[in-house]
Amino acid sequence: MMRFLINRVSGAVLLALAVCAPLHAQTIKIGFISTFSGPGAAQGDQLDRGVKLYMKLHGNELPPGVSVEIIRRDDTGAVPDAAKRVAQELIVRDKVQFLTGVVWTPNAAAIAPLSTEAKVPFISMNASGALIMAKAPYMARMSFTLWQSAYPLGHWAAKHYKRAYTAVSDYAPGHEAEEGFIRGFKEGGGEVVGTVRIPLANPDYIPYMQRIKDAKPEALFAFNPAGKAATAMMKAYGDLGLAKAGIKYIGTGDITTDEELQNMGDEALGVTTVHHYSAAAERPANKAFVARYQKEFGADQNPGFMVVDAWDTMDAIFTAIREQNGKVDPERTMELLKKYSSNNSPRGTVSIDPATREVINPEYLREVRRVNGRLANVEIESISQAIKDPLKELTQPK
Ligand code: PHB
């Protein structure tokens, strides 16, 4: 009799639980690969902060019964084998429905074939190499390509300087920055008097800066992968007296990334860059974003572009999950990502080009100035609110 009663009671409890639990309860797993250790951890931390802030402020904006689990994995730096291994584990063992994160282009290139094979949508939060998506139909990019900033900067520079030198990190994004700048600069009538490619790992910038100084260009175009590399290169430029020699430092926004800017010192004043995001931007959406970021991470902290690119990526993923009511299908996810568009990003507008799955960005001309006692990338001109990747635009037959 007793046993019969217990059975009846536990049956009732189970029934009550089943009624209370939302139909089709779903947990969407997102594999988030970033650099959490080693010299690239500063960049990886920027992506992490963007994800954390988004989850804190919007993590529950999902249909009833749907939740998101972020599974974080460390790729330890620009180490394609490590990135491949963690992506494989996320796909096979954790059965993630999305892959995202990834600071480094070589890592994204290693992950792309796995995304294709397993049909797992992979959205790059930072990796910017223009060619990594060519054979990866389940990939989309929410960050930028180097041509989007370097090519218009080349046009601008040709209006102000006749002779330029280029110095870039020696890997795909650096090569693309170099090529984009040179194309724009030459189209504008400028002359490139020298080019140098600097190793990505543990670079010593001093001998390169000496060589550049000796060549006496009017401008030095630079690209490095943001983080501490940006500060180190700026210091070498200052220490070797290039500014005093009248050589203007210009580049993609990676060289004056907002989270490092205060560490660069007065040498950064006047440095001119083109980029899709500045923490100093006056847009209301950005002011609200920066205020919220500082509340979370400290009043002296500025979000760099990688924080914003991670934030926007999360918004695109959440939009795709919501639109599918939590039952995500890779084909439908890709259709939805291709339609993603926001006028409310801290960068201004952002969308995905349905033809290429490539980000369409605003680009701003910025100059480092002192604002209220702090260095800031002040946006002085909007170059465009919607630049497609110029490399693809120039090289792909219409
Ligand atoms: C990249 O490897 O794609 C990369 C990394 C850092 C940057 C830009 C591009 O600032």
Side-chain angles (χ1 to χ4, degrees):
M1 176 66 183
M2 199 56 188
R3 177 176 293 164
F4 171 74
L5 265 180
I6 289 171
N7 279 345
R8 287 290 293 268
V9 170
S10 53
V13 169
L14 279 180
L15 186 69
L17 280 177
V19 170
C20 292
L23 286 175
H24 313 302
Q26 295 279 344
T27 300
I28 309 294
K29 292 184 180 178
I30 301 176
F32 170 45
I33 300 171
S34 191
T35 302
F36 297 113
S37 59
Q43 288 95 320
D45 183 54
Q46 291 283 294
L47 295 188
D48 199 34
R49 287 180 176 206
V51 171
K52 282 194 175 127
L53 192 60
Y54 192 90
M55 288 302 288
K56 181 155 188 179
L57 300 186
H58 300 293
N60 59 3
E61 292 172 9
L62 291 165
V66 179
S67 60
V68 152
E69 181 188 355
I70 308 282
I71 307 180
R72 296 159 86 248
R73 289 287 179 268
D74 184 6
D75 62 17
T76 70
V79 186
D81 284 349
K84 194 172 171 181
R85 182 174 44 74
V86 291
Q88 187 86 48
E89 281 170 14
L90 285 165
I91 292 170
V92 174
R93 199 183 58 198
D94 299 306
K95 306 207 171 1
V96 297
Q97 284 108 326
F98 290 87
L99 283 169
T100 189
V102 191
V103 173
W104 310 100
T105 286
N107 294 12
I111 297 168
L114 303 182
S115 142
T116 307
E117 198 186 301
K119 297 192 174 66
V120 176
F122 170 30
I123 303 108
S124 169
M125 286 180 174
N126 185 72
S128 316
L131 308 177
I132 51 182
M133 299 202 302
K135 292 193 190 121
Y138 294 90
M139 203 176 162
R141 178 164 16 229
M142 192 53 89
S143 52
F144 56 98
T145 68
L146 272 309
W147 274 72
Q148 285 178 328
S149 49
Y151 181 58
L153 180 64
H155 286 152
W156 175 86
K159 293 192 192 118
H160 298 83
Y161 312 102
K162 290 194 174 60
R163 292 157 44 82
Y165 209 108
T166 68
V168 300
S169 300
D170 191 7
Y171 77 131
H175 303 168
E176 289 167 17
E178 176 196 274
E179 287 153 10
F181 175 78
I182 291 178
R183 173 86 176 244
F185 192 57
K186 285 189 174 166
E187 282 176 1
E191 181 198 352
V192 177
V193 296
T195 61
V196 64
R197 294 175 171 186
I198 302 172
L200 184 62
N202 306 317
D204 175 5
Y205 293 103
I206 296 287
Y208 299 102
M209 288 296 168
Q210 186 61 55
R211 203 193 303 169
I212 294 162
K213 190 178 175 190
D214 293 345
K216 297 190 171 51
E218 290 166 70
L220 166 59
F221 168 83
F223 164 82
N224 51 49
K228 300 288 172 198
T231 310
M233 194 160 175
M234 182 75 75
K235 290 251 181 272
Y237 164 83
D239 288 351
L240 278 231
L242 275 78
K244 289 193 189 73
I247 301 169
K248 169 94 171 175
Y249 197 48
I250 60 176
T252 64
D254 309 73
I255 68 169
T256 56
T257 185
D258 286 289
E259 81 282 8
E260 274 294 317
L261 201 48
Q262 310 313 316
N263 297 333
M264 293 179 189
D266 284 357
E267 231 59 72
L269 283 168
V271 171
T272 303
T273 54
V274 171
H275 221 217
H276 60 288
Y277 176 69
S278 162
E282 295 288 334
R283 290 176 289 285
N286 184 53
K287 290 194 129 192
F289 180 76
V290 173
R292 200 56 194 75
Y293 182 85
Q294 291 180 338
K295 190 169 170 215
E296 194 66 20
F297 298 107
D300 62 340
Q301 300 285 301
N302 276 334
F305 61 91
M306 292 190 200
V307 176
V308 169
D309 298 350
W311 168 275
D312 287 336
T313 303
M314 292 302 290
D315 196 57
I317 292 175
F318 266 62
T319 303
I321 295 172
R322 267 195 301 269
E323 293 281 318
Q324 296 175 85
N325 225 359
K327 286 194 77 103
V328 292
D329 162 75
E331 316 296 335
R332 181 84 185 112
T333 292
M334 293 315 295
E335 288 312 312
L336 289 162
L337 289 175
K338 286 182 202 169
K339 286 191 202 145
Y340 180 79
S341 162
S342 169
N343 291 327
N344 204 29
S345 163
R347 62 180 113 176
T349 57
V350 65
S351 61
I352 301 284
D353 182 347
T356 57
R357 292 165 278 110
E358 188 65 83
V359 65
I360 302 179
N361 260 326
E363 292 291 339
Y364 306 92
L365 182 73
R366 309 105 47 88
E367 186 181 276
V368 179
R369 295 180 184 163
R370 197 172 284 290
V371 180
N372 300 329
R374 287 169 64 78
L375 297 175
N377 283 303
V378 177
E379 290 178 354
I380 48 183
E381 195 183 298
S382 163
I383 289 175
S384 164
Q385 276 298 306
I387 292 192
K388 293 188 177 183
D389 177 31
L391 178 60
K392 294 184 193 67
E393 290 290 293
L394 291 170
T395 55
Q396 277 174 8
K398 288 268 166 342

